[in-house]
Amino acid sequence: GAGVSQSPSNKVTEKGKDVELRCDPISGHTALYWYRQSLGQGLEFLIYFQGNSAPDKSGLPSDRFSAERTGGSVSTLTIQRTQQEDSAVYLCASSLAPNLADTQYFGPGTRLTVL
Amino acid sequence: DAKTTQPNSMESNEEEPVHLPCNHSTISGTDYIHWYRQLPSQGPEYVIHGLTSNVNNRMASLAIAEDRKSSTLILHRATLRDAAVYYCILRASGGATNKLIFGTGTLLAVQP
């Protein structure tokens, strides 16, 4: 079946511009996660959505970052006024039933380059 | 969150077994041990997980020490496709989220 998909696969933007990154989770998965992977920081958690619960935003690095999940499916990560340190691969993952034994399925990521 | 310690890198020859160690001395009784791997230019993928008993699946085996303070991921016959960064992750109970906390992992090189 279809896995997690992300778009675009690559995004080059200029410093100060806003960007939107999209994630389509696996159908039926109630939990959705955003992570990012940069050279200096490794893989780090950004935000987590579970059903209709309030999202866990504890990993967002600044108020320039926001995310929403519409209709419990597609999610968009928005970065406003991008900075060069935002350059990274942004990864989305989803899981069927969020518990300590669940499996998270990752998308291929969006590589963001801020010039 | 309990931390894990892994070697930065390991090497193996193709078709030989590989044992990837992970130390987690501060693990709590209800923490699950998960392994993910990340192939070059791809997102991480799930490998295996366990709680107390050893586990086997089509990809690998997980051997968990009796005191649970360490575990070993076993690839029975390494292939070139197994070259990846392997992450040992503890999933801790008591939190409101199920995020994965990645360490630096072990970079496995497989020689033909």
Side-chain angles (χ1 to χ4, degrees):
Chain A
V4 177
S5 60
Q6 294 186 244
S7 60
S9 55
N10 281 285
K11 176 72 177 179
V12 180
T13 191
E14 294 179 348
K15 178 181 172 181
K17 302 281 190 183
D18 298 351
V19 295
E20 284 190 353
L21 312 179
R22 177 187 169 106
C23 171
D24 284 84
I26 293 172
S27 177
H29 280 195
T30 62
L32 186 146
Y33 309 78
W34 283 97
Y35 298 84
R36 75 174 177 180
Q37 187 168 29
S38 54
L39 282 176
Q41 299 296 325
L43 256 160
E44 55 180 343
F45 164 79
L46 295 177
I47 189 169
Y48 160 66
F49 295 91
Q50 167 50 30
N52 296 321
S53 302
D56 175 358
K57 305 179 182 180
S58 61
L60 294 179
S62 78
D63 58 9
R64 296 185 296 103
F65 287 71
S66 63
E68 62 179 22
R69 187 179 186 192
T70 52
S73 181
V74 172
S75 177
T76 302
L77 177 68
T78 301
I79 309 173
Q80 295 178 310
R81 305 181 302 282
T82 52
Q83 304 294 312
Q84 287 182 332
E85 61 263 28
D86 299 334
S87 295
V89 176
Y90 289 82
L91 292 154
C92 176
S94 69
S95 69
L96 181 60
N99 56 59
L100 297 180
D102 77 338
T103 296
Q104 293 187 18
Y105 296 87
F106 284 80
T110 293
R111 180 175 296 279
L112 174 66
T113 303
V114 182
L115 301 176
Chain B
D1 294 303
K3 284 192 64 176
T4 63
T5 304
Q6 300 177 251
N8 288 333
S9 63
M10 291 184 66
E11 273 195 14
S12 173
N13 294 319
E14 201 174 9
E15 300 195 1
E16 289 186 356
V18 182
H19 291 232
L20 297 163
C22 180
N23 287 322
H24 29 78
S25 58
T26 59
I27 191 171
S28 298
T30 53
D31 293 349
Y32 280 78
I33 302 160
H34 284 248
W35 285 80
Y36 280 73
R37 71 180 185 180
Q38 187 172 23
L39 280 65
S41 303
Q42 295 188 26
E45 66 174 344
Y46 167 82
V47 178
I48 200 167
H49 77 274
L51 183 60
T52 56
S53 303
N54 295 343
V55 184
N56 299 295
N57 66 21
R58 65 174 179 81
M59 289 181 71
S61 296
L62 177 60
I64 301 174
E66 197 169 334
D67 63 4
R68 301 185 73 233
K69 294 187 176 182
S70 65
S71 60
T72 302
L73 178 70
I74 302 166
L75 307 179
H76 295 287
R77 289 182 66 197
T79 69
L80 296 178
R81 194 193 172 277
D82 291 322
V85 178
Y86 286 78
Y87 297 98
C88 170
I89 300 167
L90 296 185
R91 305 282 299 276
S93 62
T97 187
N98 292 290
K99 63 190 177 188
L100 296 174
I101 299 176
F102 290 85
T104 54
T106 296
L107 175 62
L108 175 67
V110 180
Q111 306 299 330

